[in-house]
Structure formats: structure tokens, C-alpha cells
Amino acid sequence: MNKIKNWKFPVVILIAFFVTLVSTFVQPQGIQAAAKDGAVYVIPVDQPIERGLQKFMERGFKEAEEIQAGLIVLQINTPGGLVATTKEIGDMIQASKIPTVAYINGDAASAGSYIALVSDYIAMSPASTIGAAALVDGSNNYIDDPKLVATWKSNMQAAAEKNDRKKEIAGGMTDLNMVVEMPEISRTKEKGEVISLTAKEALEVGYADKIVSSPAEVATWLNYSPDNIYTMEQTTFEKLSSFLTHPVVSTILLFIGIAGILIELFVPGFGVPGIVGFLSFVLYFGGSYVAGIGGSETWFLFIIGIALLISELFVPSFGILGVLGAGSLITGVVRAAYDTSTALVSLGIAAAAAIALVIIVAIVFKEKGIWNRFILNDNMTADRGYSSVRTREDLIGMEGTSATPLRPSGTAVIGTERVDVVTEGDYILANEPIYVYKVEGSRVVVKKQSEREASGVK
């Protein structure tokens, strides 16, 4: 009996060791088998929210559906942007059949907070923030229009309630007049403030579901394979469009475009400035069109504006055509930019610099200026056939008859023409034969025909 007990103990030890060994190697395979199907598709949201970003994200959601992705990760780091565009992006996110997670790895500020809240999950990197979503104008001054504030506040609160987050906190991100208690982080939002939360604070108040450091950790957290992650890339045209629509680049393009066109108009004959200016405008409006910011109407406004400005140079309109042309051109440029205030600043800088350059060019090449068409530059001298007094050298040597007595001036008929003539002091009766002796300016000097015959002059 003791022998049986003695061999049972080693057997139990071996079985326990075998079970432990099997569980160590088999369990990961079980977990892997339990992982959710489908790739993780990462869409960067790392620029101001405008129509270009919307178009980019629409392509991303479409590609995620085409590859049958299991999860879409919106990698957010944005200062916000246009409210109307943000709302349309939010509608697209909510209509997606693929689960979405907002991974904030920077700032989900302003409208970026809304995109995060409408997503199914929110994950944040340790140094990220969410909030500060109050409406501001182009100068970053708070907008206090009650209607606009109330509408935006309702949109934020509805997005928060979608995933059972406290709507008061979303309201406090937008409304300066709200007072919001946040006991979870021992903090109260007072009037005149807006709520902005760190990753840790957001996790404690329920505005983040997980703190992670990468999309791979997001995938692991939601039980997707971290080895099956695809990140959306910009196409060549999208990269070029992003470059061309950068505020600095767009300002340079506007400067070159305005300067080139004006130089060609006011100092014609070069050709190159006009071509370069035209191509600069093509790049400006083309980049905007590819980015989805401006439509075909911007091209129409630009062409009409240029045509009206050219017409002003040749058609007297008391400045009306010029004003209409400038207005059309400015409208086209502004509509082709994602932000009105930025566009106006860029246009102002470009126009001022272009006008300064045109003035310099006009001074250097003043002889080629269009104003020379309206200025008489020829010297009207006698040697070039110009005279303020009609001279009659053509009458020298011609014969005629005195029509009146010449004492010494009077009238003579020379050929078939009556001409005012003078003598050199002689008195000549009427109807006497005479001939033109010489012409001094407007004076036609005559002598008697008999004197000519006596001197033998023919």
C-alpha cells in the first residue's frame, strides 16, 4: 500500500507539469483564434478640418469597406476647423458599418473633439488632450452668437450621449457660461472657461476608454491582430495639393500670379511674366480643386475677374468694370481657400508685394509701358514735316496776276488760287503780271513779271 502511494506522487507531479506546459504553448493559439477578423485600417486626421480632409477621409472609408476592414482607427491630431465640414464628417462616421475608434495622439481640439465623440471608442496617447471646442472666428476670438453656440453645443452633447458619456462635460467644452462639476478629477469648470482634458483626466471622467501609445496597442485592446494594420497614404496628387494649399505656398502663388498678369498688362511685350502668372493661378486653383476645397465656380470667377480688369483699360466705365473685376477675382481666390480669413491675409500680402514689384518694373521699363500708347512722344519739328504755320514753298517761281493793288501787301491769283502776298516795298497795280520771288514762313513775296524778264531769270 505504501508502494502505491509512493509512485502516485511522482505521477501527479508529471501530470501537473504536462498541463502547465500545454497551457503555456496552447493558450496563445487559442487567443489568436479568438481574435476578431478583418484588418485594422488607420486614417490620419492630422490637419485642419476642411473640405480637403473630408474628401481624403471619404476615400479612406471607401477603401476600408473595399478591403473588408474590421476596424477603422482615426488617428487624430488636429486644431479643429470648419463646423459644417466637421458635421458632415461626423455623419459619415456614424453611417459607417465598420466600427471606428478615435486614437488621439496629439490634440483633438475644437471640432476634433466632435469627431472623437461620434466614434465608437476613444483611445488617447499619454500626452494628448481633448476639448476646448468653443466656437471662434478667424482671429481666434470667441463667438458669442447664442444661436450658433446653442446649435454647436447640442451637437457636441448628442455626440457624447451616443456612447453614454456625460453630456455636461461636452457642453462645458463649448459653452463659456456653463458651470460643470467634475468630482472624478476634483475640478470645477467655472464661467468664462472651457473644458480641456488630459488623457488621464479624460479616462477618469469617461471621455476616454483606454490610454495607449500606438495603433497596434489600439488593435490589441479591441482584440484585433496588431500584425494586420494598414495606414492610409496620400496619393501623389493629394500630396501636391496639400503642398499647394499651404498658406505660405498659396501666398507665393498669388504674388507671382498677380505680379505676372499686371506686368503683362502694363508693360506688354515680354510674354514670360504673363505665362508665369497664368500658370501660378492654375496651380493655386488646381491645388484647391484637387483638395476638394474649391469647385469649378472658382475658375469661372477668376476668368471673369481678369476679363473685366482688362476691359477697364480700354473701355471707359468710371471704374465700374475695375471694381467688378477685382471683386470677382477676390471672391474666386477666397472661395478656393479653406479659411476665409487666411485667404484674405494671403491675398493682401501677395497684392501689396505684387504692386510694389510692378511699380519697379514699370520704372525700369518705362518706355514699354502701356501708357505710351496714350502719350505723344514724337517731336513735331519742321525737319520732320511738322509746322504750326502753313508754308508755301511750293509757290516759288509760279506766275500769277495781282488781284488787288499791292502796297505792299494784297491778294494775287496764282494758278487758280487766291493767295495773300507782299512785295519788297514796290507798288504794283491790280491786274499786273507777277511771279513768286520767295517764301519766308507765311509770307509769300512777289515781284513784277517784267523784272523777272529783265533779269533773264526763268
Side-chain angles (χ1 to χ4, degrees):
M1 201 62 183
N2 289 332
K3 290 181 179 181
I4 294 175
K5 288 181 180 180
N6 289 336
W7 68 262
K8 279 185 178 181
F9 180 76
V11 171
V12 172
I13 296 298
L14 287 173
I15 293 174
F17 175 77
F18 179 78
V19 171
T20 302
L21 184 65
V22 170
S23 64
T24 300
F25 290 98
V26 174
Q27 187 174 3
Q29 296 179 0
I31 292 175
Q32 182 67 25
K36 296 178 182 178
D37 294 329
V40 176
Y41 197 78
V42 180
I43 301 177
V45 185
D46 54 2
Q47 57 183 292
I49 300 172
E50 32 77 19
R51 290 185 289 273
L53 176 63
Q54 179 184 358
K55 189 174 181 180
F56 176 73
M57 292 182 66
E58 286 175 353
R59 181 170 71 83
F61 273 78
K62 183 178 179 180
E63 290 181 359
E65 291 178 1
E66 290 174 351
I67 67 172
Q68 297 181 340
L71 180 68
I72 294 176
V73 177
L74 303 177
Q75 189 163 295
I76 299 175
N77 182 19
T78 176
L82 303 175
V83 172
T85 303
T86 302
K87 191 67 172 62
E88 292 177 4
I89 292 175
D91 293 340
M92 177 180 64
I93 294 172
Q94 295 183 81
S96 175
K97 296 178 181 179
I98 303 173
T100 57
V101 53
Y103 168 50
I104 305 171
N105 68 333
D107 296 322
S110 191
S113 302
Y114 179 81
I115 292 178
L117 289 175
V118 297
S119 301
D120 297 312
Y121 307 96
I122 298 177
M124 298 179 68
S125 64
S128 60
T129 63
I130 182 174
L135 295 175
V136 296
D137 57 21
S139 302
N140 285 326
N141 297 317
Y142 288 119
I143 295 175
D144 56 3
D145 187 313
K147 184 177 180 180
L148 293 177
V149 173
T151 301
W152 177 234
K153 176 181 174 181
S154 298
N155 290 333
M156 285 285 290
Q157 290 181 325
E161 288 183 313
K162 171 180 175 287
N163 292 309
D164 298 322
R165 308 186 197 277
K166 293 181 179 179
K167 69 176 185 178
E168 291 80 11
I169 295 179
M173 291 179 175
T174 62
D175 190 350
L176 277 73
N177 296 317
M178 285 186 67
V179 175
V180 181
E181 298 286 346
M182 294 177 284
E184 300 90 344
I185 56 175
S186 302
R187 179 177 160 192
T188 300
K189 180 263 179 193
E190 303 290 351
K191 286 186 177 183
E193 300 175 348
V194 290
I195 296 175
S196 179
L197 302 171
T198 65
K200 184 178 179 181
E201 290 173 336
L203 185 65
E204 292 178 358
V205 300
Y207 267 61
D209 303 308
K210 188 74 172 178
I211 295 180
V212 296
S213 299
S214 66
E217 290 188 23
V218 173
T220 302
W221 164 50
L222 293 174
N223 218 21
Y224 288 87
S225 172
D227 299 323
N228 196 15
I229 297 177
Y230 297 90
T231 300
M232 182 183 178
E233 299 288 344
Q234 285 185 319
T235 64
T236 301
F237 282 111
E238 286 171 340
K239 290 178 181 178
L240 178 61
S241 175
S242 297
F243 172 75
L244 294 176
T245 54
H246 189 279
V248 174
V249 177
S250 62
T251 301
I252 294 174
L253 290 176
L254 287 174
F255 160 68
I256 297 174
I258 295 172
I261 296 296
L262 290 180
I263 290 173
E264 197 61 43
L265 287 176
F266 292 107
V267 191
F270 293 102
V272 175
I275 294 173
V276 173
F278 177 76
L279 291 177
S280 294
F281 276 119
V282 169
L283 290 174
Y284 177 84
F285 287 104
S288 170
Y289 183 80
V290 172
I293 300 173
S296 57
E297 77 281 355
T298 58
W299 290 95
F300 176 78
L301 290 169
F302 164 67
I303 293 172
I304 291 297
I306 292 294
L308 290 173
L309 288 175
I310 295 174
S311 300
E312 177 63 29
L313 296 175
F314 304 100
V315 180
S317 67
F318 304 100
I320 295 176
L321 291 177
V323 172
L324 292 176
S328 178
L329 187 59
I330 291 172
T331 303
V333 169
V334 171
R335 286 187 62 85
Y338 81 89
D339 180 73
T340 300
S341 60
T342 301
L344 291 175
V345 171
S346 296
L347 184 60
I349 295 173
I355 291 173
L357 178 61
V358 171
I359 292 174
I360 295 173
V361 172
I363 293 173
V364 174
F365 299 97
K366 57 184 178 181
E367 71 280 357
K368 294 180 176 290
I370 192 174
W371 46 83
N372 288 322
R373 298 179 183 178
F374 311 104
I375 299 175
L376 183 60
N377 291 318
D378 290 335
N379 293 320
M380 295 184 292
T381 57
D383 62 326
R384 303 188 66 178
Y386 296 100
S387 177
S388 60
V389 180
R390 183 186 180 190
T391 60
R392 300 303 306 270
E393 283 86 356
D394 59 306
L395 298 178
I396 295 177
M398 292 185 65
E399 298 179 351
T401 305
S402 57
T404 65
L406 306 180
R407 12 171 218 239
S409 63
T411 303
V413 176
I414 301 173
T416 59
E417 183 180 1
R418 292 176 67 89
V419 181
D420 292 330
V421 297
V422 297
T423 69
E424 289 186 319
D426 298 332
Y427 177 78
I428 300 177
L429 297 174
N431 298 318
E432 287 283 339
I434 54 94
Y435 76 99
V436 179
Y437 172 63
K438 62 181 177 181
V439 174
E440 296 175 337
S442 61
R443 297 175 72 246
V444 179
V445 183
V446 298
K447 287 186 176 184
K448 292 180 180 181
Q449 182 65 29
S450 58
E451 294 182 14
R452 181 177 190 180
E453 293 172 354
S455 65
V457 179
K458 296 183 179 180

